[in-house]
Structure formats: C-alpha cells, structure tokens
Amino acid sequence: MTDDAQQTWTDYYARIRRRRIAEAQILHSQMAADGVNDDTVLALDFLHFGPVAQDVRDLAEQLAENYAMTVSPREDGEYWNTSGTTRPEGVDGMDLQRCVDWVTFMCDVANSYGCVFSTWRLTDPVRDQFWTNETIDADPEVGGEHGVYAEACGTPSLVWQRAFALV
C-alpha cells in the first residue's frame, strides 16, 4: 500500500470509528428512552465487510470466540461480509459505557484485519423491539458545537434485512 493509500485508509477508518461511536451514544439514548435497562437481555447481531476474503475469514475466526459467525460474498463480488450474533444467547448490562466500548472494540478489531464494522442491531425479544445504527445518520464532523449531527432514518435497509434473513 502506498503512503497515500495508507493515509486514505487511516482517515477513512478514523471517520467511520467516530461515526460508529456517535451512533452508539444515540442508539443507547433511544434504548434507554424505550425502557431498556441493565437487566434487559438483548440479542446482538452485527455485520463487518472487507475486500479480501481471507481477511474477512480471519476476522470471523477471531470473533467466533464469543459470537456465532458466518462469512459470505456480497452480490457485487467486490466485498465479503461476516455477520455475527449472540443468538440464541443475549447480553445484559448494556449501559452507555459498555455499548461505546463494544462498538469501539468492533471498529478496532475490524480495522486490524482491513475490514469495516458496518452495522449492528440490538433486539429485546421479550418486547419484540429492536434498535439499529442503520436508522441513524450520525456525523460528528458536521455537528457543530454539539459534536454530532444525527437524523432518524426510518426502517433498516434491505441490505441489513437480507443479511439477517429478515425478508
């Protein structure tokens, strides 16, 4: 990788990491407003992608220590996905700090394999309610004095729904 290409990746990764952390903060706020607390058990699903199949497989192998993982090529043929889940188990105690720490870890581990942490979804199966970063457009770069621009975007994308067999 040339120095310019490396710098482009470093800048891109840093921007994505800041966005994911901002999304985690917003998502946690939405969850808290909806009554999620430390005792709520949540199913956790997530998606990473990368351009090199072996790198994506290696990332999945590392994450398989704690999650059920699958790897698949994207329809465009240029990227590979790895999706993970805690199902049928769940996680509890998802306070703000744990949520931000988890997202930060996922960003960093993905980067270490040349991949990108893309989307995640937390589901409360008891109330049949979910929260996903795909419904948030957060960009700390344009947030002005408040640090985050965010907009609720509605329903999860078809890509996310297909990745987790929701359609």
Side-chain angles (χ1 to χ4, degrees):
M1 191 178 289
T2 68
D3 288 343
D4 288 342
Q6 181 60 48
Q7 188 60 51
T8 298
W9 168 251
T10 299
D11 293 347
Y12 172 76
Y13 163 74
R15 188 176 75 247
I16 292 298
R17 187 176 190 265
R18 287 190 299 272
R19 288 185 96 163
R20 296 297 172 260
I21 290 169
E23 291 165 355
Q25 294 167 335
I26 295 164
L27 203 63
H28 187 272
S29 175
Q30 291 174 346
M31 290 168 34
D34 289 337
V36 172
N37 60 43
D38 287 349
D39 297 325
T40 307
V41 177
L42 302 166
L44 183 56
D45 305 296
F46 56 90
L47 183 72
H48 293 82
F49 69 90
V52 179
Q54 190 58 52
D55 292 345
V56 174
R57 285 187 193 101
D58 291 345
L59 171 61
E61 184 177 328
Q62 179 176 345
L63 293 174
E65 294 176 21
N66 297 301
Y67 305 98
M69 302 296 299
T70 59
V71 175
S72 60
R74 283 194 177 177
E75 289 179 15
D76 64 15
E78 293 183 34
Y79 291 94
W80 286 75
N81 288 340
T82 183
S83 55
T85 186
T86 59
R87 295 171 193 265
E89 306 298 321
V91 296
D92 61 358
M94 190 58 83
D95 64 15
L96 176 59
Q97 190 60 54
R98 184 173 179 197
C99 188
V100 168
D101 289 348
W102 180 80
V103 166
T104 301
F105 167 77
M106 285 295 183
C107 288
D108 292 345
V109 74
N111 181 49
S112 72
Y113 288 96
C115 298
V116 174
F117 177 46
S118 180
T119 57
W120 74 94
R121 174 180 169 140
L122 293 151
T123 303
D124 180 346
V126 172
R127 291 187 281 177
D128 194 28
Q129 187 172 10
F130 70 90
W131 304 266
T132 176
N133 71 314
E134 280 205 323
T135 62
I136 300 168
D137 182 10
D139 191 347
E141 322 257 310
V142 296
E145 66 184 72
H146 300 290
V148 175
Y149 161 79
E151 179 179 330
C153 300
T155 60
S157 75
L158 192 56
V159 171
W160 174 260
Q161 292 175 33
R162 285 183 180 153
F164 290 101
L166 299 173
V167 293

